[in-house]
């Protein structure tokens, strides 16, 4: 039996290789999302900064938040390129955007140049997160689709860990050159991978589709006729039954699915995850903890990777709702603790309070927060989009949910520093805690369990009353 499994794995190795190389674009995404953590402290010190002047607080807000605007602009263009010219070219275009961004960072002498690079990074993120899951889904066998599709969250956290581990210990310029190697490696390696059979069939290029499927499966097309026929029928049915945006709002199940997915993704952003990931090192510097900020950031990055891998391995056993409830509850407790630490810190001068015994609390709180996020609200928010909507309207639903995600992300990132100064760091994290408590309540009341259900079964669940869903045990 082990010998048979080994042979099967070798015969399918090309789909693993293609999926891993495609997810290098998501590693680039993680690098872009973690970029500000070590860079902000470098830009505030004229000796380490490549800029002629130190950026103002408003400029730092734009450097952090403009990434979300790029991420908002990227998916529509990525979708057009993927449909018209292929998934492979769309991903390579995203990789090129990342490379151009790092070249701009290497040569930057002004904040304006950094902003252009950050916007291009955001566009690259939009390309990567919109097209990578589509590419992987179309090249993977049904038995491998779940595991290969789960590589996205792991790849993103690996990119962040790379930045957290390298950025604090090298110069600004050296950091940009090292990170530039990631998109260049991606473009060079992924250019050797095939286009998806689904794209070729959709454009009537059946010979190319056959060759692509042969490469991915390691078998001749005569042995793949059943799968090739299934792909052909699926693509042709999708073309014939192309949905409209009106169907998304007329059908009760679709409306409810849109409400659930949009609610989860908005609450995901209001948890404060992006400010924590973008400014991890700065947050640790403010706490005055005994652990060096750069080391604490590495710990956070490592925890994210481990938590993401745990979710990949256990999600189909435990289910979506339990993980979302554990995730929101864990984030809420961690944010309350973190806010409490900062509140006590504000009282230290007037009351003479010593926080030496609580020096561990900021690191522990952020470790729990990021682990809880990566266990549930990180990966599952996007997974639900793929599970709840029919293929013919999934693109419309995904566009609406993605727009909501990055719109809220821009708001949170842009006003993070201003709110910190206006209401205090403690109230800022307590506010995030209130939203994560709302996320727990929203999940318990409205989110249905999709584990092991087919699309018709999920649609039937969505047509039930909220009372029945609430009675479900997580």
């Amino acid at each position: 039996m082990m010998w048979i499994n080994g042979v099967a794995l070798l015969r399918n190795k090309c789909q693993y290789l293609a999926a891993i190389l495609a997810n290098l674009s998501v590693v680039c995404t993680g690098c872009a999302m973690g970029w500000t953590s070590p860079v902000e402290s470098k830009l505030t010190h004229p000796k380490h900064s490549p800029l002629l002047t130190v950026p103002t607080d408003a400029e730092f807000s734009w450097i952090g938040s403009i990434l979300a605007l790029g991420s908002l602009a990227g998916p529509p263009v990525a979708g057009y390129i993927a449909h018209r010219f292929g998934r492979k070219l769309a991903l390579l275009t995203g990789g090129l955007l990342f490379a151009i961004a790092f070249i701009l960072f290497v040569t930057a002498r002004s904040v304006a140049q950094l902003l252009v690079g950050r916007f291009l990074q955001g566009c690259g993120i939009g390309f990567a997160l919109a097209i990578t899951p589509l590419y992987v889904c179309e090249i993977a066998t049904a038995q491998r689709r779940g595991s290969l599709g789960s590589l996205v969250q792991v790849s993103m956290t690996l990119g962040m860990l790379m930045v957290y581990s390298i950025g604090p210990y090298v110069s600004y310029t050296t950091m940009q050159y090292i990170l530039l190697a990631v998109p260049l490696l991606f473009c060079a390696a992924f250019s050797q991978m095939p286009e998806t059979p689904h794209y070729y069939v959709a454009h009537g290029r059946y010979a190319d589709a056959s060759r692509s499927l042969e490469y991915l499966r390691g078998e001749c097309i005569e042995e793949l006729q059943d799968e090739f026929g299934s792909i052909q029928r699926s693509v042709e049915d999708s073309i014939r039954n192309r949905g409209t945006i009106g169907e998304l709002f007329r059908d009760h199940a679709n409306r409810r699915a849109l409400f659930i997915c949009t609610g989860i993704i908005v609450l995901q952003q209001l948890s404060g995850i992006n400010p924590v990931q973008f400014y991890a090192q700065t947050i640790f510097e403010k706490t005055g903890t005994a652990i060096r900020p750069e080391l604490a950031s590495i710990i956070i990055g490592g925890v994210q990777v481990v938590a993401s891998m745990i979710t990949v391995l256990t999600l189909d056993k435990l289910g979506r709702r339990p993980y979302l409830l554990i995730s929101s509850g864990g984030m809420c407790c961690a944010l309350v603790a973190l806010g409490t630490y900062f509140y006590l810190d504000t009282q230290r001068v007037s009351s003479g309070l010593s926080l030496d015994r609580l020096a561990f609390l900021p690191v522990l709180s952020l470790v729990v927060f990021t682990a809880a996020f990566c266990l549930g609200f990180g990966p599952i928010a996007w997974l639900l989009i793929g599970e709840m909507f029919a293929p013919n309207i999934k693109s419309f639903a995904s566009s609406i949910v993605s727009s909501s995600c990055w719109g809220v992300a821009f708001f949170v990132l842009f006003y993070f520093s201003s709110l910190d100064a206006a209401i205090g760091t403690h109230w800022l994290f307590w506010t995030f805690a209130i939203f994560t408590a709302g996320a727990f309540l929203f999940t318990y009341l409205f989110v249905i369990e999709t584990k092991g259900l087919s699309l018709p079964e999920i649609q039937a669940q969505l047509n039930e009353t909220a009372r029945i869903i609430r009675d479900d045990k997580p």
Side-chain angles (χ1 to χ4, degrees):
M1 180 61 72
M2 291 181 60
W3 180 81
I4 294 174
N5 291 337
V7 171
L9 180 63
L10 289 173
R11 294 176 71 181
N12 286 282
K13 67 182 184 299
C14 291
Q15 67 175 313
Y16 285 96
L17 178 62
I20 290 170
L21 292 181
N23 272 281
L24 280 178
S25 66
V26 185
V27 175
C28 296
T29 292
C31 292
M33 295 182 74
W35 185 85
T36 46
S37 181
V39 165
E40 185 178 33
S41 62
K42 297 179 188 297
L43 296 181
T44 56
H45 294 86
K47 186 172 70 172
H48 300 137
S49 174
L51 306 182
L52 300 178
T53 59
V54 175
T56 65
D57 289 343
E59 287 171 335
F60 272 125
S61 293
W62 275 107
I63 290 171
S65 61
I66 200 171
L67 188 85
L69 293 183
S71 302
L72 191 60
V77 181
Y80 173 78
I81 295 175
H83 174 73
R84 184 72 178 82
F85 303 105
R87 287 65 160 143
K88 178 179 174 180
L89 183 61
L91 283 175
L92 290 173
T93 302
L96 182 62
L97 291 172
F98 283 120
I100 293 173
F102 286 118
I103 291 172
L104 287 173
F105 294 154
V106 167
T107 59
R109 293 296 178 268
S110 67
V111 172
Q113 190 165 335
L114 289 183
L115 292 177
V116 173
R118 288 291 282 168
F119 183 82
L120 290 179
Q121 275 189 326
C123 292
I125 289 174
F127 273 70
L129 295 184
I131 307 303
T132 304
L134 175 63
Y135 179 86
V136 172
C137 180
E138 291 185 352
I139 66 165
T141 60
Q143 295 82 3
R144 306 289 187 275
R145 193 170 296 141
S147 58
L148 294 180
S150 301
L151 288 174
V152 169
Q153 182 71 17
V154 176
S155 300
M156 189 183 303
T157 55
L158 282 172
M160 284 187 236
L161 178 59
M162 179 179 176
V163 173
Y164 293 161
S165 302
I166 295 173
Y169 302 104
V170 298
S171 69
Y172 169 89
T173 303
T174 302
M175 174 184 167
Q176 310 315 314
Y177 278 120
I178 293 173
L179 297 181
L180 173 61
V182 181
L184 293 179
L185 174 63
F186 162 68
C187 290
F190 186 68
S191 63
Q192 306 304 310
M193 294 297 102
E195 181 55 79
T196 72
H198 292 70
Y199 169 77
Y200 284 135
V201 169
H203 288 75
R205 299 167 59 178
Y206 296 104
D208 289 331
S210 298
R211 284 190 288 270
S212 173
L213 194 61
E214 283 181 329
Y215 176 85
L216 292 167
R217 302 294 178 262
E219 300 177 16
C220 61
I221 193 62
E222 287 77 13
E223 298 179 26
L224 299 168
Q225 286 303 312
D226 288 344
E227 184 177 3
F228 188 82
S230 176
I231 292 173
Q232 187 174 345
R233 287 190 297 272
S234 174
V235 171
E236 291 173 352
D237 286 345
S238 179
I239 293 173
R240 279 196 305 270
N241 301 315
R242 192 179 302 276
T244 64
I245 196 167
E247 292 180 36
L248 193 58
F249 295 97
R250 283 194 300 267
D251 182 77
H252 174 71
N254 289 335
R255 285 199 309 272
R256 192 162 175 217
L258 185 63
F259 169 70
I260 291 171
C261 292
T262 305
I264 289 292
I265 209 74
V266 167
L267 289 166
Q268 177 204 71
Q269 293 303 314
L270 292 176
S271 72
I273 184 62
N274 278 332
V276 169
Q277 291 176 334
F278 283 32
Y279 304 116
Q281 189 170 327
T282 303
I283 292 171
F284 281 119
E285 287 172 356
K286 289 187 66 174
T287 65
T289 178
I291 300 178
R292 288 180 299 169
E294 57 270 25
L295 179 59
S297 297
I298 294 172
I299 293 171
I300 294 294
V303 167
Q304 288 185 122
V305 173
V306 173
S308 299
M309 294 181 69
I310 290 173
T311 302
V312 168
L313 297 172
T314 62
L315 182 60
D316 284 330
K317 296 178 182 178
L318 189 59
R320 283 60 165 157
R321 267 171 55 85
Y323 263 131
L324 287 173
L325 292 171
I326 292 169
S327 177
S328 53
M331 287 192 293
C332 184
C333 293
L335 289 168
V336 169
L338 189 61
T340 301
Y341 178 87
F342 279 109
Y343 172 74
L344 294 174
D345 188 54
T346 63
Q347 305 299 309
R348 180 166 51 179
V349 176
S350 59
S351 64
L353 182 68
S354 174
L355 296 181
D356 291 344
R357 293 185 178 182
L358 293 178
F360 68 92
L361 189 58
V363 177
L364 178 62
S365 298
L366 286 176
V367 164
V368 172
F369 173 76
T370 53
F373 177 84
C374 290
L375 280 175
F377 264 75
I380 295 175
W382 298 103
L383 175 65
L384 291 177
I385 301 172
E387 292 186 325
M388 287 189 175
F389 295 100
N392 62 331
I393 60 165
K394 192 176 295 184
S395 60
F396 295 117
S398 180
S399 297
I400 292 173
V401 176
S402 296
S403 298
S404 302
C405 172
W406 294 113
V408 176
F410 172 77
F411 173 83
V412 172
L413 286 166
F414 186 78
Y415 289 105
F416 177 75
S417 297
S418 300
L419 286 171
D420 187 12
I423 66 176
T425 307
H426 56 291
W427 265 114
L428 183 60
F429 284 110
W430 282 342
T431 301
F432 290 145
I434 292 170
F435 283 119
T436 54
F440 183 95
L441 188 62
F442 182 89
T443 299
Y444 184 74
L445 292 176
F446 301 112
V447 178
I448 67 170
E449 180 56 72
T450 58
K451 180 188 72 172
L453 299 181
S454 64
L455 178 61
E457 290 171 331
I458 292 172
Q459 294 278 300
Q461 283 267 25
L462 288 167
N463 278 312
E464 296 292 336
T465 63
R467 182 184 62 80
I468 293 177
I469 301 305
R470 286 200 302 267
D471 288 341
D472 284 348
K473 292 184 178 180

